[in-house]
Amino acid sequence: MVTATALEAELLELAGSVPDPELPVLTLHDLGVVRALRLHGSDAAEVDLTPTYTGCPAIEAMALDIERVLREHGLREVSVRTVLTPAWSTDDITPEGRRKLREFGIAPPRTREASGPIPLTLGPTRTGAAGAADTAEAEPVHCPHCGSADTELLSRFSSTACKALRRCLSCREPFDHFKEL
Amino acid sequence: MTATGPVTVPVTAALALGDDALVLSHRLGEWAGHAPVLEEEVALANIALDLLGQARVLLSLAGDEDELAFLREERSFRNLQLVEQPNGDFAHTIARQLYFSTYQHLLYAELAAGDGPFAPLAAKAVKEVAYHRDHAEQWTLRLGDGTETSHERMRRACDALWRFTGEMFQPVEGLDVDWAGLESRWLESATGVLDRSTLTVPEGPRTGAWSAGAGRQGVHTESFGRMLAEMQHLHRSHPGASW
C-alpha cells in the first residue's frame, strides 16, 4: 500500500474538479469515478478512472478533460487508465452530488445495499396476473420539482443508459431519475 | 481497457462472450428509427450501448477490437445463433431479449463470483444486464398477458426462437461454469416468466439433430452474413478512417 503524497492528493482533487461532460452540474469527484492518482517523478501522473456504465461514451471525454487540466497545471505527461474493479455503483455518488442532481431536476439514485435493479412496475396487464409479481418499491422516487412521492415510471431507459424517465403525478412534470446501479 | 496485471485470457471465451454482445448490440441498433414508440427506441439503443461497451472490453482482451469486429469473416465469429436472428416484429425482439438476457445475467453472475480473467467485467456488466432482463421480462408479461393479438405474436416469437436456446449451454473453453446448473436455472426462470405471461413453454427440441445452434463453432444462419456486410462495410471501404 503506497500512501499518496500531499501533492498527489492535491492533483487528485484537481482531476476530480473536472465537470462531467454529460451532467456538467456534477464534478467527476461528485460522481465518484476518479479513483486514484499516482505521480511518477515530478511531472508525470497516472490517473485511475472508472466508467459508470461499461459502454458509457462519456469516458473518453472525461479522460481528455483530466489530461488537459493536469497539463495546464504543469504536468508534462498524463495517462488515464480505465479500471473496472471494484465496479462503480450509484452509491459512489457523493451526498453533495445527490443534492446537485436534485437541484438540476434529476431525481438522485436511492442508496442501496443489495445488488440488482430495484423492481419497478410497468403498469397492470390485461388480466392483472402479472401484478402480483411486481414488488412494491421499497422507497419511492421523489419528484425533483415538487418533492411529491407520487411518481410513475414511463420508461426504464431515458436520455442516457444511466437514467430512467418518470412522471410526477402531483405536478405532472416528467423528469429523469438516475437509476440505481 | 486495462487489466490489473498480467492475466492469461482464454481467447476462445473472450470471443464467444464478446461476439454475443457485439452482434446483439448491432441487431438492437437496427431498431433506431423503427421502434414502436420513442421510449422503446431509446431503451433498445441504451441496451445496445451497454452491450457494445461490454463487447469492446471483451474483444480488447482477445486482440484489437476494430480488427476483430470489422475484419473477421463470418465463420470466425463465435456468437450464439440466437443473437444474430433478425429483429422480426417487436415480440421477436423481446423474446430474443428474454432468452439471452436471462442467460447472460445468470452467466455473468457466476463469472463475477469467481476469480477468473472475466470476473472484473462480469461484476460490472451483471448490474447492467439485470436491467436488460427486467426490461425483457416486463415486456413479455405485458405482451403475453395483453390483447389477443399481442399474446399470439408473443407466442409465435417464443416458439420460433426456442430452438436456438439449447446452444447457450454448450460449454465454452476457458470458462469455469457449471453449465448444467446454469441451464436448469435458466429453464426455471424462463418457465416462470412464460407462465406468468399466460404463455406456454414451447415444446420443440432445444438441442439435438433437429435443433439449431453451432454459432460457437463458427456456423451461422443465413441472415448473419447480410448483417455483417452492413456492419463491416464502412470500415472495409475506408480502412483506418476516423472522424
Side-chain angles (χ1 to χ4, degrees):
Chain A
M1 180 78 194
V2 184
T3 319
T5 63
L7 181 58
E8 282 174 329
E10 186 194 326
L11 291 171
L12 179 64
E13 197 175 317
L14 192 66
S17 70
V18 168
D20 176 80
E22 284 184 1
L23 288 167
V25 290
L26 293 187
T27 65
L28 298 188
H29 169 74
D30 292 333
L31 200 56
V33 293
V34 187
R35 288 267 166 84
L37 182 145
R38 287 172 299 278
L39 271 177
H40 300 296
S42 61
D43 58 359
E46 190 180 48
V47 182
D48 287 354
L49 183 67
T50 195
T52 52
Y53 280 65
T54 318
C56 182
I59 193 143
E60 285 168 26
M62 290 179 188
L64 286 174
D65 287 347
I66 290 173
E67 281 183 33
R68 185 179 44 75
V69 165
L70 293 177
R71 278 178 207 277
E72 281 169 8
H73 199 71
L75 288 173
R76 181 182 48 83
E77 198 185 312
V78 180
S79 62
V80 179
R81 296 194 326 152
T82 303
V83 293
L84 294 180
T85 312
W88 181 84
S89 146
T90 40
D91 287 350
D92 296 339
I93 300 178
T94 61
E96 173 74 359
R98 286 165 198 279
R99 187 186 61 74
K100 288 180 184 170
L101 276 175
R102 198 177 300 112
E103 283 174 7
F104 191 61
I106 297 172
R110 291 159 290 186
T111 49
R112 55 209 297 243
E113 283 133 34
S115 59
I118 290 173
L120 301 165
T121 330
L122 189 67
T125 52
R126 185 143 294 214
T127 67
D134 295 326
T135 324
E137 290 173 29
E139 183 197 332
V141 178
H142 290 267
C143 170
H145 306 296
C146 73
S148 167
D150 195 13
T151 64
E152 67 175 0
L153 179 75
L154 293 179
S155 175
R156 53 183 43 69
F157 296 91
S158 181
S159 53
T160 61
C162 58
K163 295 190 228 97
L165 185 64
R166 297 185 73 90
R167 172 168 54 203
C168 176
L169 296 173
S170 299
C171 71
R172 309 303 298 176
E173 281 290 324
F175 64 91
D176 268 340
H177 165 224
F178 208 118
K179 284 186 297 204
E180 293 75 21
L181 189 73
Chain B
M1 300 280 166
T2 318
T4 49
V7 185
T8 319
V9 173
V11 171
T12 310
L15 289 179
L17 300 178
D19 288 347
D20 281 352
L22 176 68
V23 170
L24 185 57
S25 166
H26 192 83
R27 279 294 187 213
L28 290 172
E30 291 173 355
W31 273 107
H34 303 281
V37 288
L38 185 62
E39 286 79 1
E40 266 319 292
E41 172 136 339
V42 173
L44 294 172
N46 273 319
I47 294 172
L49 182 63
D50 282 346
L51 290 166
L52 186 62
Q54 295 159 15
R56 292 188 63 184
V57 174
L58 288 159
L59 294 182
S60 296
L61 291 173
D64 179 89
E65 53 173 328
D66 283 347
E67 272 181 33
L68 289 170
F70 296 123
L71 298 175
R72 265 184 303 162
E73 302 290 336
E74 183 182 334
R75 292 294 294 258
S76 304
F77 277 80
R78 291 291 177 263
N79 55 282
L80 298 165
Q81 290 182 351
L82 174 67
V83 297
E84 75 201 29
Q85 294 311 304
N87 287 335
D89 63 9
F90 188 66
H92 274 77
T93 290
I94 291 301
R96 194 183 59 199
Q97 283 302 106
L98 177 72
Y99 292 163
F100 182 74
S101 64
T102 304
Y103 161 77
Q104 198 191 17
H105 189 231
L106 295 169
L107 176 62
Y108 278 20
E110 190 162 340
L111 293 175
D115 56 0
F118 300 109
L121 181 266
K124 180 138 195 72
V126 73
K127 300 197 290 177
E128 299 162 2
V129 175
Y131 278 103
H132 306 174
R133 181 180 178 180
D134 181 54
H135 172 263
E137 289 183 356
Q138 299 285 354
W139 268 114
T140 304
L141 289 169
R142 194 156 181 84
L143 295 175
D145 190 14
T147 64
E148 212 169 288
T149 306
S150 75
H151 176 89
E152 178 55 21
R153 285 200 184 203
M154 198 63 215
R155 184 195 62 75
R156 255 185 292 173
C158 289
D159 285 356
L161 293 173
W162 188 249
R163 67 197 184 100
F164 295 103
T165 59
E167 186 189 0
M168 299 193 287
F169 308 101
Q170 283 178 18
V172 175
E173 187 192 324
L175 293 186
D176 183 21
V177 167
D178 168 18
W179 295 98
L182 186 71
E183 180 162 20
S184 69
R185 289 198 300 283
W186 182 88
L187 262 178
E188 190 187 337
S189 170
T191 305
V193 173
L194 293 175
D195 279 350
R196 284 198 283 135
S197 310
T198 70
L199 294 160
T200 37
V201 176
E203 283 175 358
R206 296 172 50 248
T207 50
W210 295 98
S211 70
R216 295 279 190 239
Q217 286 78 46
V219 179
H220 296 282
T221 52
E222 188 187 342
S223 61
F224 185 53
R226 292 194 293 274
M227 192 208 97
L228 272 191
E230 186 175 300
M231 187 178 93
Q232 298 183 334
H233 158 261
L234 190 71
H235 190 92
R236 286 182 184 268
S237 306
H238 305 277
S242 65
W243 63 82

